[in-house]
Amino acid sequence: MTLSEIRLFLKKHKIDAYFLPRNNMFLEEDILEEENEIFSLIGFSGSAASLVICQDKTYLFTDGRYELQSKMETNAKEVEIICSSADFPYLWLQNHFESGKFSLMYNPWTISAGTISKFTDMFPKAKLICDEKNILGNKLSSKNAHVFSLSEEYAGICAEEKISEIIPTIKQNGCDAYLLTSANEVSWLMNLRSDALPDSPILRAFALIKKDGSVSLFADNTDKADILPMSKLEKSLKSVKKGKLGVDKKNMPQMICEIFGEKNLVDIGDIIRAKQIIKNEIELQGYIEAHKQDAVAMIKFLYWLDNNYKGKTELDIVAKVDAFRAEDDMFLCQSFDTIAATKSNGAIVHYHPSKNTNKVLERNSVLLLDSGGHYQNGTTDITRTIALGIPKQKIVDANTIVLKAHIALASTIFPKDTTGLALDAICRKELWKENMDFKHGTGHGVGFVLNVHEAPRISPQAKNSHFSANMVTSIEPGYYKENDFGIRIENLYYTKECENSGLLKFEVLTLVPLDKRLINKYLLNEDEINWINEYHRKVLETMSPYLDNKHKEWLEDACAPL
Amino acid sequence: MTLSEIRLFLKKHKIDAYFLPRNNMFLEEDILEEENEIFSLIGFSGSAASLVICQDKTYLFTDGRYELQSKMETNAKEVEIICSSADFPYLWLQNHFESGKFSLMYNPWTISAGTISKFTDMFPKAKLICDEKNILGNKLSSKNAHVFSLSEEYAGICAEEKISEIIPTIKQNGCDAYLLTSANEVSWLMNLRSDALPDSPILRAFALIKKDGSVSLFADNTDKADILPMSKLEKSLKSVKKGKLGVDKKNMPQMICEIFGEKNLVDIGDIIRAKQIIKNEIELQGYIEAHKQDAVAMIKFLYWLDNNYKGKTELDIVAKVDAFRAEDDMFLCQSFDTIAATKSNGAIVHYHPSKNTNKVLERNSVLLLDSGGHYQNGTTDITRTIALGIPKQKIVDANTIVLKAHIALASTIFPKDTTGLALDAICRKELWKENMDFKHGTGHGVGFVLNVHEAPRISPQAKNSHFSANMVTSIEPGYYKENDFGIRIENLYYTKECENSGLLKFEVLTLVPLDKRLINKYLLNEDEINWINEYHRKVLETMSPYLDNKHKEWLEDACAPL
């Protein structure tokens, strides 16, 4: 259906609105373009999106990162954009339908049972209409996916051991089985990966874990013989005794309630995530090695860029940096669509160049490059802002302030259980001082050859993200001047206990120099200068053995003390 | 009843426990010693306390501030102390009575309806027994209180205007009236104060606010003719139509539910606090002036101390500093019981000297002095840690780190709505770096000639305290080394919008020098040294005109640049 066809349908059936989050049945952000109904309906490609289609108007909900991009990609006559992360869409629905009497249609596969519960609680007078016929026709891609195992050499723990660790939780809650619907968590638990998505090696499957330790996987279009087709899910679920199936209602499609009956499910929450985001020692070693491999690619790219940027476009940059990464034997795929943005495109947070927006790199400007790779032994995510020629002093100063914010957090020692909200403020403080800020999170957990974005979060909303040792997270403050330029400085770190005190610190994973041409030393204090020099010393010492002479010489220069 | 009599009573009636929070019917922390059942039962005098009396054992719940003090004041054979602020007492009850089947008695006047609701939700199998007969006999003091008006010259807004501002909220919620049970808020709303409490000039009364703007006050033992006795409350409440009385269930005694019927109340929350904690311009001017008056007393005290500390005890110090404050014509009372603590007593957070614990001030140690006053035009709260002779270097270094933490927060610029949790981390970061911390909040709002502790809070728990302009708050990091020494550095500030940016900053109210003998300049960076020098410049410039020559000379020395 097109947008106008949906509106006609709503009018005909006297339904006030259709609620369409940017989801497939796995309720995670990595979906294929062909699965993205919001993109096909209104042209918006951002990863944070929900649509409320009313009879007369369509509302797009996104967040600050996509403020500019959403305006560029959509038709202002048809679509009203609402950039707000606060309590969406509940508060909006409350204000829009003041009487509380409205009818709202949804697809039970692409909305969580938690959201439907919250709707029911908040809007007792509303009529929620389950779109069982799937009128929009959204479905998973039918492309065949190759499934492969992640060797224990890299995963650290075999699937059997991981499963055995969660069985007690299933039993303690009086359940016969647990249905896991998060593809990211299924992939982690089973040490399985696939090539279904271009930027994330997850296997898109559900797992039914029985209390005897046996696991059935459900997915369509894979080449692994023992994975059952999704059509078998209903029968398998019905073989579990009523009231004995454990689930995580908040993150499970409402459809499971429709199949199994909501009252027959035991909501025992997410029993995997807390284990998954604490990396084991083998995984950590993998991240460390993968970051060296990644740094080789980035250093080669930066050397190339210095000598070759003239006349190149953003798309040329994407091709080049992706190609350097692909040279590594253990490289699997990008960890997300590479972002190369120069001049005013840099101010569009999470911009991706396309033929329409592609800009030529110009002398005396900056390039913002956010990229990363999945390797067999780990995942990377790095942003560097790079000088082309001699950028204006205001850009150098802004970059220096962003770097101060990065250092403020990266050098923080903090107690276990500190929240991502508290860490966020420690970072932003340096920007606030200069009346600067940025409209995205300060950091995110990074999956191990899984989704690049996972828990914990570092952001003004992250009051429930609690930190402990052996978590891998980004630190990525930025600054964006609309129609002018953009800056972001991102490294990955893992949390580690300090000897003696038991407090936590950030240990750096990323080993690529920061652009000294964009640092105004006079804005830094002694501790900050020492931090930068020590970081560069570590980069040079660690990476030199992996480089040929010309790259080594370039790195020596890039890493010379301030 | 004594503790053993209560236990016999519980055994006889087969009741598992009596739950006794340190409250009177106003559910606030300021209660008289004679009203403090917990003190009379077990001897603990701290302001954070709840007791669960079981048939065989008694459990005292307090927080980290009182860890040492509670051990000193109670009998370990009778009372088990639990220091935890996390989810008490719900989690504890859950663990203690695993089956969920238990009977719990409570006094409906001293427990909030919100707590009873939460009990009911969490423990559906438990039997809650309302102690209507008040077997412990706890009641308000029968001492007569003098009631007086706070003149509009200081209050800034007359009671009628304040009332007229809340009437629309009462009407919008479909209520005929609103019952206000917080004495602090009644006092603010009516611009009334009293001398009922030694450390807080609040009028302990309930207010029934009708939608026509008329207000009835209820309190016993006052000298104000138009205040109705509490015995009239029930009749007045019953004159309000059922289902038309607005209340704040969370902060209202359960007794109101017993009188009015829980289902007949409309819970519209606290409709006063958000207004009360934003100070008006006259109030702010009052705080500024009161802090000058307070600084005169403190400077005179510090001058006296330098020349006279030898042989003096902590109780001598309390008497002296209280006397200097009392010299001011506008002084009403202390804003809390003055804390003077030296040597190991300093490590007991919120220690108050008594005859049993009183220590003599010794050369080459420090004195921690936390004190404040209510004046007709404002309230103060200040802590200084003061050198006696030449304290050990480790104390000087610890004081310097605490000062760095104080400055880190005091100099922060931050957006509106930043949480107290975020601000807390900005402060503690400097301590964490040195493997130091403290077990109390970083700051609290300060009532205007009301309770010295009010919203907002700055603490690891303050995820729901949001800051905006014109709030008055303390910043008071500390460090406590058990059996050795204690340090705390506290100033009051008000939040103010920065010109142009609209971000918030802290504007200092307290004007008393920091002890430079306890500052190791080599641990400070340039910005911190500048902050201290600028603060001392402001103290000297503002306070000099109010001092005679000998005090002025002392201040010039105390405020000379580092």
Side-chain angles (χ1 to χ4, degrees), chain B residues 194-209:
Chain B
S194 92
D195 65 357
L197 296 169
D199 301 329
S200 172
I202 57 168
L203 165 65
R204 306 206 294 178
F206 287 179
L208 184 65
I209 306 152

PDB file of all heavy atoms in Angstrom, chain B residues 194-209:
ATOM      1  N   SER B 194       6.316  29.440  63.003  1.00  0.00           N
ATOM      2  CA  SER B 194       6.087  29.307  64.442  1.00  0.00           C
ATOM      3  C   SER B 194       7.386  28.956  65.160  1.00  0.00           C
ATOM      4  O   SER B 194       8.399  28.689  64.513  1.00  0.00           O
ATOM      5  CB  SER B 194       5.030  28.235  64.731  1.00  0.00           C
ATOM      6  OG  SER B 194       5.642  26.978  64.925  1.00  0.00           O
ATOM      7  N   ASP B 195       7.321  28.918  66.485  1.00  0.00           N
ATOM      8  CA  ASP B 195       8.519  28.553  67.249  1.00  0.00           C
ATOM      9  C   ASP B 195       8.383  27.149  67.858  1.00  0.00           C
ATOM     10  O   ASP B 195       9.017  26.843  68.862  1.00  0.00           O
ATOM     11  CB  ASP B 195       8.806  29.596  68.338  1.00  0.00           C
ATOM     12  CG  ASP B 195       7.710  29.638  69.391  1.00  0.00           C
ATOM     13  OD1 ASP B 195       6.700  28.903  69.241  1.00  0.00           O
ATOM     14  OD2 ASP B 195       7.848  30.405  70.363  1.00  0.00           O
ATOM     15  N   ALA B 196       7.592  26.294  67.197  1.00  0.00           N
ATOM     16  CA  ALA B 196       7.339  24.957  67.758  1.00  0.00           C
ATOM     17  C   ALA B 196       8.599  24.103  67.792  1.00  0.00           C
ATOM     18  O   ALA B 196       8.787  23.309  68.712  1.00  0.00           O
ATOM     19  CB  ALA B 196       6.255  24.250  66.944  1.00  0.00           C
ATOM     20  N   LEU B 197       9.441  24.248  66.811  1.00  0.00           N
ATOM     21  CA  LEU B 197      10.647  23.426  66.718  1.00  0.00           C
ATOM     22  C   LEU B 197      11.881  24.275  66.991  1.00  0.00           C
ATOM     23  O   LEU B 197      11.903  25.460  66.655  1.00  0.00           O
ATOM     24  CB  LEU B 197      10.756  22.810  65.317  1.00  0.00           C
ATOM     25  CG  LEU B 197       9.650  21.814  64.903  1.00  0.00           C
ATOM     26  CD1 LEU B 197       9.747  21.513  63.411  1.00  0.00           C
ATOM     27  CD2 LEU B 197       9.757  20.534  65.718  1.00  0.00           C
ATOM     28  N   PRO B 198      12.917  23.710  67.571  1.00  0.00           N
ATOM     29  CA  PRO B 198      14.100  24.512  67.871  1.00  0.00           C
ATOM     30  C   PRO B 198      14.885  24.913  66.611  1.00  0.00           C
ATOM     31  O   PRO B 198      15.534  25.954  66.602  1.00  0.00           O
ATOM     32  CB  PRO B 198      14.943  23.587  68.762  1.00  0.00           C
ATOM     33  CG  PRO B 198      14.479  22.207  68.461  1.00  0.00           C
ATOM     34  CD  PRO B 198      13.034  22.323  68.085  1.00  0.00           C
ATOM     35  N   ASP B 199      14.825  24.087  65.549  1.00  0.00           N
ATOM     36  CA  ASP B 199      15.704  24.311  64.395  1.00  0.00           C
ATOM     37  C   ASP B 199      14.977  24.602  63.097  1.00  0.00           C
ATOM     38  O   ASP B 199      15.603  24.648  62.038  1.00  0.00           O
ATOM     39  CB  ASP B 199      16.567  23.061  64.152  1.00  0.00           C
ATOM     40  CG  ASP B 199      17.423  22.718  65.351  1.00  0.00           C
ATOM     41  OD1 ASP B 199      17.809  23.647  66.071  1.00  0.00           O
ATOM     42  OD2 ASP B 199      17.694  21.523  65.543  1.00  0.00           O
ATOM     43  N   SER B 200      13.673  24.748  63.166  1.00  0.00           N
ATOM     44  CA  SER B 200      12.935  24.978  61.926  1.00  0.00           C
ATOM     45  C   SER B 200      11.707  25.792  62.265  1.00  0.00           C
ATOM     46  O   SER B 200      10.896  25.374  63.090  1.00  0.00           O
ATOM     47  CB  SER B 200      12.527  23.640  61.312  1.00  0.00           C
ATOM     48  OG  SER B 200      11.656  23.869  60.225  1.00  0.00           O
ATOM     49  N   PRO B 201      11.556  26.970  61.645  1.00  0.00           N
ATOM     50  CA  PRO B 201      10.451  27.854  62.044  1.00  0.00           C
ATOM     51  C   PRO B 201       9.118  27.503  61.408  1.00  0.00           C
ATOM     52  O   PRO B 201       8.257  28.356  61.301  1.00  0.00           O
ATOM     53  CB  PRO B 201      10.941  29.233  61.596  1.00  0.00           C
ATOM     54  CG  PRO B 201      11.881  28.960  60.484  1.00  0.00           C
ATOM     55  CD  PRO B 201      12.425  27.575  60.638  1.00  0.00           C
ATOM     56  N   ILE B 202       8.936  26.245  60.999  1.00  0.00           N
ATOM     57  CA  ILE B 202       7.666  25.918  60.343  1.00  0.00           C
ATOM     58  C   ILE B 202       6.513  25.875  61.342  1.00  0.00           C
ATOM     59  O   ILE B 202       6.682  25.618  62.522  1.00  0.00           O
ATOM     60  CB  ILE B 202       7.723  24.561  59.598  1.00  0.00           C
ATOM     61  CG1 ILE B 202       8.103  23.409  60.522  1.00  0.00           C
ATOM     62  CG2 ILE B 202       8.666  24.637  58.418  1.00  0.00           C
ATOM     63  CD1 ILE B 202       7.893  22.051  59.897  1.00  0.00           C
ATOM     64  N   LEU B 203       5.328  26.163  60.786  1.00  0.00           N
ATOM     65  CA  LEU B 203       4.080  25.982  61.529  1.00  0.00           C
ATOM     66  C   LEU B 203       3.590  24.577  61.236  1.00  0.00           C
ATOM     67  O   LEU B 203       3.365  24.228  60.064  1.00  0.00           O
ATOM     68  CB  LEU B 203       3.050  27.011  61.033  1.00  0.00           C
ATOM     69  CG  LEU B 203       1.590  26.728  61.453  1.00  0.00           C
ATOM     70  CD1 LEU B 203       1.428  26.813  62.967  1.00  0.00           C
ATOM     71  CD2 LEU B 203       0.643  27.687  60.745  1.00  0.00           C
ATOM     72  N   ARG B 204       3.444  23.781  62.294  1.00  0.00           N
ATOM     73  CA  ARG B 204       3.025  22.399  62.069  1.00  0.00           C
ATOM     74  C   ARG B 204       1.508  22.329  61.990  1.00  0.00           C
ATOM     75  O   ARG B 204       0.832  22.216  63.016  1.00  0.00           O
ATOM     76  CB  ARG B 204       3.596  21.510  63.166  1.00  0.00           C
ATOM     77  CG  ARG B 204       5.125  21.700  63.243  1.00  0.00           C
ATOM     78  CD  ARG B 204       5.825  20.525  63.789  1.00  0.00           C
ATOM     79  NE  ARG B 204       5.500  20.298  65.172  1.00  0.00           N
ATOM     80  CZ  ARG B 204       5.986  19.270  65.881  1.00  0.00           C
ATOM     81  NH1 ARG B 204       6.798  18.391  65.305  1.00  0.00           N
ATOM     82  NH2 ARG B 204       5.678  19.132  67.143  1.00  0.00           N
ATOM     83  N   ALA B 205       1.009  22.421  60.760  1.00  0.00           N
ATOM     84  CA  ALA B 205      -0.447  22.452  60.550  1.00  0.00           C
ATOM     85  C   ALA B 205      -0.786  21.779  59.227  1.00  0.00           C
ATOM     86  O   ALA B 205       0.057  21.644  58.357  1.00  0.00           O
ATOM     87  CB  ALA B 205      -0.929  23.905  60.524  1.00  0.00           C
ATOM     88  N   PHE B 206      -2.036  21.322  59.143  1.00  0.00           N
ATOM     89  CA  PHE B 206      -2.618  20.886  57.868  1.00  0.00           C
ATOM     90  C   PHE B 206      -3.433  22.055  57.321  1.00  0.00           C
ATOM     91  O   PHE B 206      -3.901  22.898  58.088  1.00  0.00           O
ATOM     92  CB  PHE B 206      -3.571  19.697  58.059  1.00  0.00           C
ATOM     93  CG  PHE B 206      -2.911  18.373  58.363  1.00  0.00           C
ATOM     94  CD1 PHE B 206      -3.699  17.237  58.567  1.00  0.00           C
ATOM     95  CD2 PHE B 206      -1.535  18.242  58.439  1.00  0.00           C
ATOM     96  CE1 PHE B 206      -3.114  16.003  58.843  1.00  0.00           C
ATOM     97  CE2 PHE B 206      -0.939  17.010  58.718  1.00  0.00           C
ATOM     98  CZ  PHE B 206      -1.741  15.889  58.923  1.00  0.00           C
ATOM     99  N   ALA B 207      -3.594  22.086  56.000  1.00  0.00           N
ATOM    100  CA  ALA B 207      -4.438  23.127  55.402  1.00  0.00           C
ATOM    101  C   ALA B 207      -5.444  22.486  54.463  1.00  0.00           C
ATOM    102  O   ALA B 207      -5.083  21.651  53.634  1.00  0.00           O
ATOM    103  CB  ALA B 207      -3.584  24.138  54.635  1.00  0.00           C
ATOM    104  N   LEU B 208      -6.703  22.877  54.619  1.00  0.00           N
ATOM    105  CA  LEU B 208      -7.753  22.436  53.699  1.00  0.00           C
ATOM    106  C   LEU B 208      -8.085  23.633  52.811  1.00  0.00           C
ATOM    107  O   LEU B 208      -8.603  24.647  53.288  1.00  0.00           O
ATOM    108  CB  LEU B 208      -8.985  21.958  54.472  1.00  0.00           C
ATOM    109  CG  LEU B 208     -10.118  21.393  53.610  1.00  0.00           C
ATOM    110  CD1 LEU B 208      -9.690  20.108  52.901  1.00  0.00           C
ATOM    111  CD2 LEU B 208     -11.359  21.107  54.475  1.00  0.00           C
ATOM    112  N   ILE B 209      -7.711  23.502  51.526  1.00  0.00           N
ATOM    113  CA  ILE B 209      -7.858  24.627  50.598  1.00  0.00           C
ATOM    114  C   ILE B 209      -9.079  24.368  49.729  1.00  0.00           C
ATOM    115  O   ILE B 209      -9.104  23.411  48.957  1.00  0.00           O
ATOM    116  CB  ILE B 209      -6.591  24.748  49.719  1.00  0.00           C
ATOM    117  CG1 ILE B 209      -5.348  24.835  50.619  1.00  0.00           C
ATOM    118  CG2 ILE B 209      -6.680  25.945  48.792  1.00  0.00           C
ATOM    119  CD1 ILE B 209      -4.094  24.289  49.974  1.00  0.00           C
TER     120      ILE B 209
END
